Amino acid sequence: MTLRNLYPLLAPQSVAVIGASERTGRLGTVLLRNLIQSGFKGPVWPVNPKHREVQGLPAWPDLRSLPQPPDLAVICTPPETVVDLISQLGRKGTKAAVVITAGLKKAWSPDPSRSTEQAMLEAARPHLLRILGPNCIGVLTPAVGLNASFAPSQALPGWLAFLTQSGALATALLDWAKERGIGFSHFISLGDSADVDFGDLLDYLATDAQTQAILLYVESIRHARKFMSAARAAARNKPVILVKAGRAPEGARAAASHTGALAGSDEVYEAAFRRAGLLRVDTLEALFDAAQTLSHCDSEALWSALKADRMRLAILTNGGGAGVLAADALSLGGGRLAQLSTVTLASLDQGLPATWSRDNPVDIIGDAPIERYVHALGCLLAAEEVDGLLFMHAPTAVVPASDIALACLPALKQSPKPVLCCWLGGQAVASGRQLCHEAHVASHATPERSIAAWLQLCRCAHNQRLLNQWVGTGPPDLAGAVRASQALIERARQDQRLWLGDADSMRLLQLWGLPVLQTRACATVEEAVLAAQQMSYPVALKIASPDILHKSDVGGVMLGIRGPAYLRQSAECLRDRFKQRRPDARLEGYTVQAMAQARDGQRELIVGLKVDPLFGPVLLLGQGGMDVELHHRHALALPPLNEPLAQDLIERSGIEPWLAGHRGRPPARRQALVETLLKLSQLVSRLPDVAEFDINPLGIDDLGVMAIDARIRLRASQEVLTQLAILPYPEALEETVVLGTRTLTLRPIRPEDASALKRFYASASSQDLRLRFLAARREVPLSELARYSQTDYDREMTLVLMAAGEGANAGEMIGEVRAVCDPDRQRAEFAAQIARGSQGQGLGLHLMRKVIGYLRDRGVQELHGACLLENQSMLALARRPGFSVRAQEGTAELVLALGEGTPIGGDQTLTV
């Protein structure tokens, strides 16, 4: 992932329209007209070989004749011309292009083994030319007057960014938003997303000061880890709301395991969006409502409330029935009414009649004058137990709606808490609704729509908690479990088995600390009799066949066997039944298993793993048993997990009431389930050869858990090794650094370090900040701080030095070095800073050595940096590891080759 050259795409200084025309019905005609009418201030160069002038502008016959390289080129010529045009633009120095043209999936005529799209990307790559599209509507940035699209209307300026993979939806939403006065910072149609995709644009918009919320229409995602990293960074800064098309279940078709049947692709997307801190809505109508809410909410108040994660709502109304409807909708949706304190009630009593509701909803009675509205509003906005307010008004003949709106809007606009309005009715309240609209206060037409908007914000708040979670790779004592598991897996591969038998499946789970029933694989009946005697009766007997996954489907299980004679008889019965029902299948023997002790109150769960082709490993938890596919009491989560994430998975699975005690049955030991989920998360993270498993049932009661039955599938040789969508925190990079009398901790940055990073930059002098960022700046915006602390450890690394111990400075940041890799990991760029009081003590060199070693281990070939020529300390530091220094216009370019064994200077050499 890289942000390189996205600025010329979204805020260019000059634009060339290739295929510009003035013939009616041509895309080139609409594109050029939109660009001219949008008020773009820079030069616009139509390119058309047949005309000297197009739509009143001088036209240029080809790219070579343009007076200078355009920042942005818009291409709307036939597919066969695109590859050569991109090549010419790259050589000329253009850094971004919008390819409107469709049909690039077809074979490229000079080389039919490649598509035209592939050839286009290969032509752009040497020049780092970024491409939006192909097959897209285009891009609009109203703040700079850019409308490089063939949309039927201009976008209003605003602070919502909208990204869509659907051109038809783009034009519809643009028309809808204009009618309602909703503006955009950026309005972007991605089309086929051959190059620039959601990940790139989310990375850009995460720190874009003009964008305060991001809306997405998603049909598919290509690069899961790239998307997850960018989405998590963006969602830490501002609300990101999306609607995802294609919800029909796909995963249940011909699934080999229960998990494969249950974990449909849309559920995996849902789990990914939740983990990324995004708010998913189900319909376009809900997306429009969310857009309206966000575009009319004070962003700072909204974001503060979301991160507080309380979201207790007060409802102020002049009609009791409307208040009850709103309260019902809130309760049914899982929201929370604020419980008004005695202080708040007393305050309300001072300005309300004795007959008011004295509860939430606050019903101020239908004859309320303006003063009553203002008083109640002030009391509720000042109440500490209220996190947000729904202001509702039904028309009356007492006071015109416009008068009420004019009196209340000052308090609503200045509220430090998010507020929503609901003007019930039609023409009688139209003036109040319009005044709210003009004042940018969110307003909805019904109690239900208002509450739906509030619940959207509540879900967004909940997802924000997941963003603050970081998960390590697990304790070092897992190395033994990894080695033993790999040996077991290798034996299975040598036997050409992808599905582990019952005994091997249980053994693998046992290696990772899960309690399992004693299980033995037996080739003959006599071996089964001996195994049963060693376990002690009663036992269960099952067939062992590589062709049968669900043994109960063929009657391949006998339970409660209490002696050797009965066991032999059972084995014969199972064999005959097996041959009759599946004569084509192989019988390799039997599995003998100790019977699970029947305990009152034991519940059956299912815990499973599926490797999604896009997002990688996905864990499933739900109610288990033979009928697991018949209900929907389950939930999914992306590993790795920590305890809060495991608790969240349990809450979402729908099994909590079932685990609780009921009518004398003791509650199940929930913590044992949490520990099981954490162990399985570690197994998934450390054993990429495990492609699928079911533990069904996983018994749970007040004493703990027990794996009763399990099946595990290994990754086939032809299956792509799919990585975790979220890389675990690299604990191996942590170390202790002793500096005189001080002890420091050197480690990768974590999400919760944003506040320490803020203090680190705030304590720096303006000169230090200028040297660090190569430009004068008084502070580092919160958006950048969140971006720097929410990293994808696979593509970037920030190492920090933190004060250790328990003193006054414990937890303070002393230094940082940040390196970001290009998508192909051939090159990385770095920046570093040490706190003023700790400079000149060798900490910078230590950080540099550490990050250089990390990048070399990742296969990065070159490390680049830049500094001002006056920054002599940075230049001296760079020369120690062996950077070459090249001066240019007041700055120095720093380059270090990271080939294997290259020394990094000083008294230490890192080799691989």
Side-chain angles (χ1 to χ4, degrees), residues 74-95:
V74 185
I75 300 174
C76 52
T77 56
E80 59 271 15
T81 66
V82 171
V83 175
D84 184 56
L85 288 171
I86 290 294
S87 182
Q88 290 185 53
L89 288 166
R91 291 195 300 269
K92 193 171 182 67
T94 297
K95 294 305 181 183

Side-chain angles (χ1 to χ4, degrees), residues 313 315 317 319-330 390-394 420-425 444-455:
L313 183 68
I315 301 173
T317 177
V324 171
L325 286 175
D328 283 349
L330 183 68
L390 172 58
F391 178 94
M392 301 177 63
H393 173 75
L420 303 174
C421 287
C422 176
W423 296 91
L424 284 163
H444 298 276
T446 67
E448 293 81 6
R449 292 282 287 272
S450 301
I451 293 298
W454 177 257
L455 292 174

Side-chain angles (χ1 to χ4, degrees), residues 513-664:
L514 269 71
V516 301
L517 284 179
Q518 190 176 1
T519 306
R520 289 273 300 275
C522 305
T524 66
V525 174
E526 293 308 314
E527 286 184 23
V529 169
L530 180 60
Q533 290 173 341
Q534 293 172 344
M535 292 179 190
S536 75
Y537 291 97
V539 298
L541 185 67
K542 306 176 183 180
I543 60 169
S545 169
D547 305 315
I548 304 295
L549 294 178
H550 302 295
K551 293 173 281 292
S552 58
D553 290 349
V554 294
V557 180
M558 298 286 281
L559 304 177
I561 298 173
R562 296 188 173 275
Y566 186 21
L567 189 146
R568 290 187 178 92
Q569 180 182 353
S570 298
E572 183 177 349
C573 178
L574 288 178
R575 184 185 63 231
D576 293 343
R577 190 184 300 166
F578 176 80
K579 289 182 178 180
Q580 179 182 3
R581 297 184 182 181
R582 284 296 305 274
D584 59 316
R586 295 165 289 173
L587 180 63
E588 292 185 344
Y590 303 90
T591 299
V592 177
Q593 191 173 45
M595 287 291 295
Q597 292 183 1
R599 294 199 293 255
D600 290 339
Q602 187 176 71
R603 296 80 153 171
E604 292 187 342
L605 305 179
I606 179 173
V607 182
L609 165 74
K610 171 188 175 182
V611 176
D612 183 77
L614 179 63
F615 289 101
V618 183
L619 286 170
L620 175 141
L621 170 67
Q623 185 174 335
M626 292 181 61
D627 300 329
V628 67
E629 285 99 345
L630 300 182
H631 58 72
H632 298 283
R633 287 185 289 276
H634 66 269
L636 307 181
L638 299 185
L641 303 180
N642 60 8
E643 183 158 337
L645 292 171
Q647 296 280 13
D648 178 72
L649 176 58
I650 294 171
E651 292 169 8
R652 290 186 292 107
S653 66
I655 64 173
E656 276 201 298
W658 195 52
L659 298 179
H662 180 63
R663 292 189 175 180

Side-chain angles (χ1 to χ4, degrees), residues 873-897:
S873 60
M874 185 67 232
L875 291 173
L877 172 63
R879 289 189 177 99
R880 292 284 300 277
F883 279 89
S884 65
V885 179
R886 185 175 66 186
Q888 49 183 10
E889 298 181 3
T891 63
E893 182 184 9
L894 314 174
V895 181
L896 177 67

Side-chain angles (χ1 to χ4, degrees), residues 54 91 147 213 237 316 336 405 498 520 561 576 626 680 687 722 765 854 881 888 890:
V54 178
R91 291 195 300 269
N147 183 353
N237 282 341
L316 173 60
R336 284 183 285 177
L498 288 183
R520 289 273 300 275
I561 298 173
D576 293 343
M626 292 181 61
L680 291 173
L687 293 180
T722 307
S765 67
Y854 172 81
Q888 49 183 10

